[in-house]
Amino acid sequence: MIILKTREEIDKIKRACQVVAEILLRLKEEVEPGVTTWDLNRISEELAAKKGVKPAFKGYRGYPFALCTSVNDEIVHGLPSKKKVLREGDIISLDFGVVYDGFYGDAAITVPVGKINERAWRLCKVTETSLYRGIDKARVGNRLSDISHAIQSYVEKHGYSVVREFVGHGIGRHLHESPQIPNYGPPGRGVKLKAGMVLAIEPMINEGTADIKILPDKWTAVTKDGKLSAHYEHTIAILPEGPEILSLPYDEEKVVFFDRKKSYR
Ligand code: MF3
Ligand code: CO
């Protein structure tokens, strides 16, 4: 069952999401050669405390940290570590969520460490654009897998592959609600999208094979071939007029809509 949200509930989720977005921006500024993923996690906890919100991931299914830090071939759920020192040319995915006033917000970005090569940059751009392509399909009357298909077709057109083991999700009073949102699939399947649905869409895209391995730490997912992976995530609400991205860094008065014809061609 998919829980539809009222505008008031969407606004509460949005408040949580704005804090997430602000913290991700701050973390992005901290990313530079020599910084450890442990430092980034500590900063995320400090910022959350300062803003009076609770990190959503810490303790969730036993996850031990506030932040997920996935470097290079790490896809998702990378564990912060004092030994993991960022080096020029790395890419790092930062995934963060909070609970605020009973509602969750969740978002992720992949950011460069210093100067990165063209190959890494292109993977990040295509992954981020695939997220917006998916968001553009989050419209009343479409079906759930129209989002999935938009992401997959864009990504594969660029020669990359979609991770199958992790999916996006509904979000609200819980971090993970129904439905699951795969980043792959044929168009026109699954539930009809309705106004009031709030979704966390999160493509994880690999440069090489889609196959993954889980490290002995039981959390960190890495690419099987050791090539790069990128991850972007937004929490969005489906409104009658179109999708609203809740996890943008600025509290814009204006709702963000995507012009069906003009966007991302
Ligand atoms: N954005 C990821 C997700 O929705 C992060 C979860 S980390 C976990 O699954 F620790 F909470 F599992
Ligand atoms: Co998520």
Side-chain angles (χ1 to χ4, degrees), residues 21 59 98 103 132 138 142 151 234 239 243 264:
V98 305
F103 287 87
Y132 288 106
N142 281 355
I151 294 169
H234 269 309
L239 306 182
Y264 310 111

Side-chain angles (χ1 to χ4, degrees), residues 1-250:
M1 189 205 52
I2 300 174
I3 303 164
L4 299 181
K5 278 82 181 178
T6 63
R7 182 68 233 187
E8 288 67 35
E9 290 168 327
I10 290 170
D11 282 335
K12 287 191 177 183
I13 297 169
K14 186 170 179 174
R15 261 169 245 139
C17 286
Q18 305 262 291
V19 176
V20 171
E22 280 165 31
I23 290 176
L24 284 175
L25 257 195
R26 291 283 298 276
L27 292 171
K28 183 182 177 185
E29 287 164 11
E30 298 291 334
V31 168
E32 59 177 19
V35 168
T36 68
T37 55
W38 184 272
D39 296 328
L40 295 174
N41 177 70
R42 181 180 39 76
I43 295 166
S44 78
E45 295 217 33
E46 287 166 4
L47 292 171
K50 207 152 84 188
K51 289 177 182 290
V53 301
K54 195 163 102 57
F57 301 163
K58 199 172 182 175
Y60 183 82
R61 293 173 182 257
Y63 185 76
F65 297 98
L67 183 69
C68 299
T69 53
S70 309
V71 180
N72 294 338
D73 62 321
E74 297 175 353
I75 299 164
V76 72
H77 303 157
L79 299 182
S81 161
K82 285 181 179 165
K83 285 190 231 151
K84 195 99 183 177
V85 184
L86 298 180
R87 294 179 315 176
E88 177 105 24
D90 288 344
I91 55 172
I92 178 171
S93 302
L94 302 169
D95 189 353
F96 192 65
V98 305
V99 206
Y100 181 52
D101 199 12
F103 287 87
Y104 283 81
D106 187 5
I109 52 176
T110 302
V111 302
V113 182
K115 278 210 167 74
I116 60 173
N117 64 26
E118 180 83 27
R119 197 185 121 206
W121 185 86
R122 187 169 163 269
L123 174 70
C124 293
K125 274 301 138 206
V126 170
T127 304
E128 186 177 33
T129 304
S130 79
L131 169 58
Y132 288 106
R133 290 273 187 141
I135 291 170
D136 191 41
K137 297 291 183 225
R139 291 175 186 277
V140 174
N142 281 355
R143 287 187 185 268
L144 188 67
S145 84
D146 292 330
I147 299 171
S148 315
H149 182 74
I151 294 169
Q152 181 182 24
S153 53
Y154 183 74
V155 158
E156 292 184 350
K157 192 172 81 190
H158 288 83
Y160 298 135
S161 61
V162 173
V163 171
R164 306 299 205 262
E165 285 81 356
F166 303 98
V167 296
H169 49 94
I171 183 167
R173 289 186 186 275
H174 304 276
L175 176 61
H176 292 149
E177 294 184 1
S178 196
Q180 293 197 355
I181 311 165
N183 298 300
Y184 60 93
R189 309 278 174 87
V191 294
K192 271 210 166 140
L193 298 179
K194 293 199 177 112
M197 288 182 177
V198 178
L199 309 174
I201 303 174
E202 49 179 321
M204 282 146 267
I205 304 304
N206 294 353
E207 198 186 10
T209 178
D211 295 346
I212 77 159
K213 282 188 312 196
I214 304 290
L215 295 186
D217 67 23
K218 300 236 174 69
W219 278 101
T220 313
V222 299
T223 60
K224 207 167 193 173
D225 59 10
K227 292 189 176 177
L228 298 176
S229 186
H231 178 204
Y232 290 81
E233 175 177 22
H234 269 309
T235 297
I236 66 113
I238 302 180
L239 306 182
E241 316 89 293
E244 179 181 354
I245 301 177
L246 304 178
S247 49
L248 285 174
Y250 304 105

